[in-house]
Amino acid sequence: MQKPIAIWLFICCALVFAMIVVGGVTRLTDSGLSIVEWQPIVGTMPPITQQDWDVLLEKYRATPQYQQVNKGMSVDEFKSIFWWEYFHRVLGRLIGLVFFVPFVYFLVKKQIDRPLGIKLAGIFVLGGLQGFMGWYMVMSGLVNDPHVSQYRLTAHLGLAFVIFAAMFWVALGLLSPKSAPAKPDEKLQNLRRFSFSLSSLIFIMVLSGGFVAGIRAGLAYNTFPLMNGHIIPPDLFVLEPWYRNFFDNITLVQFDHRLIAWILAFSVPFFWFKSRQVQLPGTTRLACNVFLLMLGVQISLGIATLLNAVPISLGASHQGGAVLLFAASLWVSHRLR
């Protein structure tokens, strides 16, 4: 009876994946500040009449983004950014509904035991926190600065990946319960620790990508493999105090993101090579191969996104690729338990 629950969680994972991609488009189109109120229930209804649009636009005209960036924007131009943010918020509500209703159903049918129920309840709480974090992020762009805080943006993105990982991991556990090997294998244990390290590093790279997006660092140094002719570019530490450079300095933020990508570019193939030296079941071998393949796809998307100065299609694809790479690493880690 665990398979239906796993399928339900995988569906939720697919919706979170879509949510992250749409969130990337929302960021790239500067749509995130087009809705200036947080109305979890009433806000589900879209504007229909011309009067509805006039009211929404009038509220938007009071924001710093309109006054400093989009002054004079027409209703039709406003619609082009509104719909992306609206769809992003509705998708978030849909995820909550798709998670909550089956959760209650499985509880009533007594198909969820206590340990699993606690895990799922924790995921639901994280989902509620994510909704609040999204509005907390938007609030930072409605005061003086017409851009949202890169710190809140990164926290919002990171929490989305945590929710995805939690659901994905629980679903994998339901389909493939943990079983102890007959005899401990040192090579297998080392490979398992290696895979968890790579998953952690990918998550750190996701967070660094949040800062890249937050300060638009991808619009600078649009060359590869060098950064405008430099292996280590100048101006890495021009801000005071020094630690601000890791979050506010376009040069260092992009350099850090590239550096993590380079580490993964060598580490994941090395991990794959080490996995060939261990006897693994077919599914685990497949997971390792998918992991390596997904790394190649994601690096290619990252380079293309950089060289083309972050077009919307490539930028959103790169963000979606990060989710798939992270999922592949989790699949490998789970199989190597």
Side-chain angles (χ1 to χ4, degrees):
M1 298 298 292
Q2 300 292 293
K3 187 175 180 180
I5 299 177
I7 293 174
W8 158 58
L9 289 174
F10 281 133
I11 291 172
C12 291
C13 285
L15 289 173
V16 172
F17 169 79
M19 183 77 166
I20 291 173
V21 173
V22 172
V25 176
T26 301
R27 175 63 181 169
L28 291 167
T29 56
D30 286 325
S31 303
L33 300 176
S34 59
I35 302 178
V36 301
E37 296 175 324
W38 189 32
Q39 300 173 315
I41 305 300
V42 180
T44 305
M45 292 298 298
I48 299 174
T49 66
Q50 184 60 43
Q51 183 180 2
D52 293 337
W53 284 111
D54 290 340
V55 170
L56 288 171
L57 180 56
E58 191 60 34
K59 292 178 179 179
Y60 178 64
R61 284 172 176 158
T63 67
Q65 188 182 65
Y66 176 84
Q67 296 169 3
Q68 300 178 36
V69 180
N70 292 328
K71 197 169 185 65
M73 173 178 275
S74 66
V75 173
D76 288 337
E77 291 171 329
F78 174 68
K79 289 179 181 180
S80 68
I81 63 171
F82 172 88
W83 284 120
W84 279 115
E85 176 63 10
Y86 173 80
F87 183 49
H88 186 59
R89 295 193 184 194
V90 169
L91 190 54
R93 296 180 177 97
L94 177 63
I95 293 172
L97 193 63
V98 171
F99 187 92
F100 181 72
V101 173
F103 180 39
V104 172
Y105 172 81
F106 288 127
L107 280 175
V108 171
K109 291 293 184 177
K110 297 182 179 180
Q111 296 180 19
I112 297 177
D113 58 22
R114 183 178 178 82
L116 178 58
I118 293 174
K119 293 175 185 176
L120 296 176
I123 293 172
F124 184 72
V125 171
L126 287 177
L129 179 61
Q130 177 71 329
F132 170 78
M133 180 58 69
W135 176 242
Y136 183 61
M137 176 189 69
V138 169
M139 286 176 58
S140 66
L142 298 177
V143 185
N144 298 312
D145 191 344
H147 307 292
V148 299
S149 163
Q150 68 268 35
Y151 299 95
R152 299 185 191 185
L153 172 68
T154 302
H156 188 50
L157 178 65
L159 187 53
F161 272 75
V162 169
I163 293 170
F164 177 91
M167 292 192 298
F168 192 69
W169 191 266
V170 172
L172 290 174
L174 293 174
L175 292 180
S176 178
K178 184 177 180 180
S179 58
K183 182 180 180 181
D185 188 318
E186 185 176 352
K187 286 186 177 181
L188 191 61
Q189 290 176 348
N190 290 336
L191 197 63
R192 177 177 178 270
R193 285 191 286 267
F194 195 179
S195 70
F196 273 106
S197 298
L198 290 175
S199 295
S200 300
L201 186 58
I202 290 170
F203 182 70
I204 293 173
M205 187 173 71
V206 167
L207 297 181
S208 76
F211 283 103
V212 169
I215 63 174
R216 292 173 168 77
L219 299 178
Y221 299 98
N222 299 109
T223 60
F224 185 85
L226 301 179
M227 295 179 68
N228 289 358
H230 299 279
I231 297 176
I232 300 178
D235 304 327
L236 288 180
F237 290 94
V238 295
L239 302 180
E240 293 292 344
W242 63 269
Y243 55 80
R244 280 189 55 210
N245 290 279
F246 289 96
F247 314 107
D248 299 329
N249 182 345
I250 286 176
T251 303
L252 185 56
V253 167
Q254 189 188 127
F255 178 79
D256 287 342
H257 194 60
R258 287 189 185 219
L259 180 60
I260 298 173
W262 276 114
I263 294 172
L264 287 170
F266 287 99
S267 299
V268 175
F270 181 65
F271 168 82
W272 180 85
F273 175 76
K274 298 291 288 185
S275 73
R276 306 298 295 181
Q277 300 175 350
V278 180
Q279 186 175 357
L280 298 174
T283 304
T284 307
R285 180 75 63 204
L286 174 63
C288 292
N289 292 338
V290 170
F291 186 23
L292 179 64
L293 175 63
M294 198 57 234
L295 175 77
V297 172
Q298 178 65 350
I299 288 178
S300 298
L301 284 171
I303 294 172
T305 301
L306 179 70
L307 294 179
N308 289 278
V310 199
I312 294 173
S313 58
L314 285 174
S317 298
H318 186 50
Q319 186 149 310
V323 183
L324 297 180
L325 177 62
F326 189 48
S329 74
L330 292 174
W331 186 24
V332 170
S333 296
H334 194 277
R335 290 297 308 175
L336 289 173
R337 294 177 312 156

